[in-house]
Amino acid sequence: MILRAAGLLAGLLIGQVALAQGQPEALSLLGRAVSASQKTSYVGTFVYQSGASVETSRIAHYVDTEGNSIERLEVLDGSPREVIRVNDDVRCYLPKEKMIIEDRRGTRKTFPSLLPEAVAALGDFYTVRKGAPVRVAGFDTQTVMLEPKDGFRYGHMFWIESQSGLLMKARMVNEKGEPIEQFAFAQLQIGPPLTRDDVQSRLAASATGWKVHAANSTQAQNADLGWTVNADVPGFRQIAGMRRSLGPDRQDMVHMVFSDGLAAISVFIEPYRKDDGNQVGPMKHGAVNVFKRRVAGFVVTALGEVPAHSVQRMAEAVGPKR
């Protein structure tokens, strides 16, 4: 019995050592994916799946001679949308609404640029390891798996193209390993001879007279917002805080963002209006969990692609400064 227990313990220790030794290599692969998403030109079509929702988009990414990252994203399903990004400046064209939304990319990134710059910090909250090599859309890829070290975040799987390092497929999974959402290239050309014309807006010429909405903050990051978080979610630190204008006749909305480097929780605080009704408590929109509560004449909304108890804990920790 003692020998058996000693054998099990030895096996466990060997497994932990092997895992620790493999983590640097897995993190290096993630770092390659970050670099490739910024420095590689490509054209492709990818599919996004969340529950019963499926959406197909076409993307072209071009890097000019000065190193600027320029991207054109066209959503092919449902209402037409086009997104043009030049580095971190984003313009979203909505022809049905005849509107252009201008904003900064901020913390919300799009496929295949999903990973943070500081990939090494992910090891604080996730066990990072290599998986099996897999073919995706005709390319050889290496799988990297991120398993959460606690119950406050979901797991992730990434498939990274072996030659270029470009992210080919990404999947978010729950605690049972079941898919929550997934991005995957269905067709891709890496390194095609693109020009600036290939990433220009196709809608800009017809957008004369459209309403332009600048989603700019009216107060800088980390300024005094009048609200505080008394007990945040483990591993999530505040990375942004701002006031956003809701119009000339309404008070500004406070927006705070908390992240562990990969997952993010957004907190919105706005004055309560009768039109809002009494809708409070947990909600769910696709892969996004939401929790609302009323505090001193305000509505606090926490949302993110994290477990439901994580957004509830964040919402319940927010309160006005005294």
Side-chain angles (χ1 to χ4, degrees):
M1 191 72 175
I2 295 175
L3 290 175
R4 183 182 177 187
L8 290 172
L9 179 59
L12 180 62
L13 290 174
I14 291 171
Q16 290 176 338
V17 170
L19 194 61
Q21 290 175 340
Q23 180 160 301
E25 187 178 356
L27 288 171
S28 177
L29 285 167
L30 296 180
R32 284 192 68 206
V34 173
S35 179
S37 70
Q38 299 169 345
K39 300 177 181 179
T40 303
S41 292
Y42 54 86
V43 178
T45 301
F46 67 83
V47 178
Y48 169 73
Q49 294 176 284
S50 177
S53 175
V54 179
E55 184 176 270
T56 306
S57 299
R58 182 183 295 121
I59 189 171
H61 181 259
Y62 169 66
V63 182
D64 68 14
T65 55
E66 298 178 356
N68 293 304
S69 174
I70 308 166
E71 187 174 279
R72 176 179 180 268
L73 176 68
E74 179 186 6
V75 179
L76 303 179
D77 301 324
S79 299
R81 282 166 286 161
E82 181 191 63
V83 180
I84 305 296
R85 180 181 63 80
V86 180
N87 297 323
D88 286 332
D89 293 321
V90 178
R91 285 172 66 90
C92 180
Y93 292 85
L94 306 172
K96 184 177 180 181
E97 295 82 3
K98 296 191 180 304
M99 179 183 291
I100 302 171
I101 299 175
E102 298 179 342
D103 204 354
R104 299 279 291 175
R105 180 164 62 164
T107 58
R108 179 61 179 174
K109 298 188 177 183
T110 55
F111 181 79
S113 304
L114 297 175
L115 290 160
E117 295 276 349
V119 294
L122 295 175
D124 294 339
F125 313 112
Y126 301 88
T127 298
V128 185
R129 63 183 178 88
K130 287 177 62 178
V134 178
R135 292 266 290 170
V136 176
F139 290 86
D140 292 327
T141 73
Q142 175 63 56
T143 311
V144 176
M145 308 175 75
L146 276 67
E147 298 166 347
K149 293 182 177 180
D150 57 36
F152 292 104
R153 63 210 87 234
Y154 289 134
H156 296 266
M157 301 174 68
F158 299 106
W159 287 261
I160 298 168
E161 203 272 320
S162 299
Q163 298 299 316
S164 67
L166 192 67
L167 182 62
M168 295 289 300
K169 183 176 175 180
R171 180 184 296 165
M172 183 188 299
V173 298
N174 63 17
E175 64 280 359
K176 298 178 182 178
E178 300 166 337
I180 299 171
E181 68 172 12
Q182 176 174 288
F183 296 88
F185 275 113
Q187 177 275 328
L188 179 67
Q189 291 178 272
I190 299 176
L194 296 180
T195 68
R196 184 67 182 260
D197 290 340
D198 294 309
V199 289
Q200 295 282 12
S201 171
R202 307 290 189 269
L203 297 174
S206 60
T208 304
W210 289 13
K211 181 179 179 182
V212 178
H213 175 70
N216 297 323
S217 62
T218 58
Q219 188 161 316
Q221 176 178 331
N222 296 328
D224 185 1
L225 303 175
W227 292 80
T228 185
V229 178
N230 298 315
D232 57 1
V233 180
F236 286 80
R237 62 179 184 86
Q238 185 176 342
I239 59 171
M242 64 205 78
R243 290 185 180 274
R244 291 188 178 273
S245 174
L246 296 176
D249 300 323
R250 296 182 61 185
Q251 285 183 257
D252 290 345
M253 173 178 67
V254 170
H255 179 199
M256 296 184 285
V257 182
F258 302 82
S259 177
D260 66 359
L262 185 60
I265 301 175
S266 285
V267 175
F268 298 92
I269 305 165
E270 53 190 315
Y272 172 76
R273 299 183 302 165
K274 290 183 179 180
D275 294 344
D276 296 332
N278 292 314
Q279 191 175 30
V280 295
M283 286 159 270
K284 190 174 181 67
H285 299 284
V288 178
N289 280 303
V290 184
F291 192 89
K292 288 179 176 280
R293 62 187 285 254
R294 287 180 60 183
V295 182
F298 290 82
V299 177
V300 175
T301 304
L303 60 89
E305 294 177 331
V306 294
H309 60 266
S310 297
V311 292
Q312 179 174 348
R313 175 165 172 159
M314 184 66 77
E316 291 177 344
V318 174
K321 284 186 176 179
R322 296 181 179 178

